Amino acid sequence: MADTCGQVLLGSGLTVLSHPLMYIKVLIQVGHEPLPPTLGRNLFGRQVYQLPGLFAYAKHIIKIDGKAGLFKGLGPRLCAGTIGTVVHSKVVQTCQEQGTPQVLGGQQKAVEGSLQHVVNETTKEMIARSCATIVTHPFHVITLRCMVQFIGRETKYSGVFDSIVTVYREEGILGFFAGLIPRLLGDVLSLWICNLLAHLINTYAIDDSMSHTGEIKNCSQAVTGFFASMLTYPFVLVSNLMAVNNCGLAGGLPPYASVYPTWVDCWRHLSREGNMSRGNSLFFRKLPAGKMYAIDQKRFF
């Protein structure tokens, strides 16, 4: 219990600190570009048109809503983080008490560091993360919609409880789970890619006789985690877009977004437009090739 409380407090602190970054990322993901491109230089010194980065975007939000404006949607996000941590901890504890699902090797106890052990531990973590994601997704949806209100200056989602009533009244239970499937798929794929790739590196590329083996293995885990998140980013983008799509907010309706019947249609549209990595970078954002900037609509077309 003490460990869980510590995780909740640490997670809440990190959530507060990182919230402005997520806020800006979400606005970029939905295609909101309030500032026109400027002429700058890339890493090689060539002059190119660049889109405003993190700090320029943050200054724009502060100019309109003040510093407190950078924390829109923080309430439901903190709820999601707290509940998710508790659910994840309980599921992991239950798996340990009842026995980890043995995917490989039958009933034999897996040797630590073996492929069987990695698969079994990853399976347990996948179950815990999936349960936490499903339980907290309604708060994730509300968080995103609170953020996207910045585009149309709406006040439709003003608080956690009022937002819950609004979503249920307009969309029913399914409205709370908009964008859940691509989010789950992205989480599961990212977890498996990260753990299996790290196992391969630690087993075949790192010699146990080397000095600082533990630090090197931790580093490889971090690198593979970053690589996995890059590969599965399109699932995050599609999930966030589907969470706000056709919900009555300007950011989820034309001209910012088409109305997508399913997340697969959203994926196909983004793929055709070459926007599968939109919002992935908050620095050195280059002008999309073949796109024109509409000043009145504050977006590219």
Side-chain angles (χ1 to χ4, degrees):
M1 186 64 183
D3 290 341
T4 302
C5 291
Q7 290 174 5
V8 168
L9 291 174
L10 178 60
S12 297
L14 292 175
T15 296
V16 173
L17 291 175
S18 65
H19 192 77
L21 189 146
M22 178 187 174
Y23 184 23
I24 294 169
K25 179 182 282 286
V26 168
L27 292 178
I28 294 175
Q29 285 177 337
V30 298
H32 185 55
E33 297 290 350
L35 302 172
T38 57
L39 190 63
R41 294 185 181 275
N42 60 15
L43 294 174
F44 302 100
R46 293 181 56 187
Q47 282 194 333
V48 293
Y49 278 99
Q50 296 178 336
L51 297 174
L54 172 66
F55 299 111
Y57 215 122
K59 287 181 181 178
H60 173 74
I61 294 175
I62 293 173
K63 183 179 179 181
I64 295 175
D65 290 335
K67 292 181 179 179
L70 291 172
F71 296 92
K72 282 187 177 179
L74 179 60
R77 191 178 174 211
L78 285 173
C79 290
T82 301
I83 296 172
T85 300
V86 174
V87 171
H88 182 277
S89 178
K90 291 295 183 182
V91 173
V92 169
Q93 183 180 351
T94 301
C95 288
Q96 290 174 343
E97 291 174 352
Q98 297 183 356
T100 306
Q102 300 294 315
V103 179
L104 294 176
Q107 299 299 319
Q108 295 179 353
K109 185 175 178 61
V111 178
E112 187 171 354
S114 65
L115 178 60
Q116 177 187 341
H117 180 265
V118 171
V119 170
N120 290 338
E121 289 299 308
T122 303
T123 301
K124 180 176 68 175
E125 179 65 17
M126 177 185 68
I127 295 171
R129 285 195 190 183
S130 298
C131 289
T133 297
I134 293 171
V135 171
T136 61
H137 194 74
F139 295 100
H140 180 68
V141 170
I142 293 171
T143 297
L144 295 175
R145 294 184 181 185
C146 288
M147 293 175 171
V148 171
Q149 287 184 138
F150 176 82
I151 298 174
R153 310 306 297 163
E154 298 105 337
T155 56
K156 187 176 180 180
Y157 299 91
S158 56
V160 177
F161 296 107
D162 289 342
S163 298
I164 290 174
V165 173
T166 300
V167 174
Y168 183 76
R169 183 177 63 245
E170 295 185 358
E171 303 172 58
I173 294 295
L174 292 180
F176 292 108
F177 298 97
L180 174 62
I181 294 177
R183 187 183 178 200
L184 275 177
L185 288 174
D187 285 347
V188 170
L189 285 174
S190 178
L191 177 64
W192 281 98
I193 292 172
C194 172
N195 287 2
L196 291 178
L197 193 57
H199 171 71
L200 290 175
I201 294 174
N202 293 340
T203 302
Y204 300 105
I206 299 176
D207 190 349
D208 289 336
S209 62
M210 297 169 59
S211 59
H212 307 292
T213 302
E215 290 82 352
I216 296 174
K217 288 185 176 181
N218 289 335
C219 183
S220 70
Q221 188 78 28
V223 171
T224 55
F226 176 77
F227 177 71
S229 66
M230 293 288 289
L231 284 180
T232 57
Y233 178 78
F235 289 96
V236 176
L237 175 61
V238 171
S239 174
N240 288 351
L241 292 182
M242 291 305 297
V244 301
N245 190 247
N246 197 26
C247 67
L249 299 177
L253 294 169
Y256 284 99
S258 302
V259 176
Y260 305 113
T262 67
W263 70 270
V264 177
D265 296 299
C266 179
W267 183 290
R268 289 172 177 169
H269 181 260
L270 290 174
S271 182
R272 286 197 304 268
E273 295 289 322
N275 288 327
M276 295 302 286
S277 62
R278 188 171 65 193
N280 193 21
S281 174
L282 297 179
F283 301 97
F284 302 108
R285 301 174 58 225
K286 65 178 183 179
L287 190 69
K291 299 288 184 179
M292 298 292 291
Y293 181 73
I295 298 177
D296 56 334
Q297 297 179 2
K298 297 181 179 179
R299 70 180 186 93
F300 288 96
F301 66 94

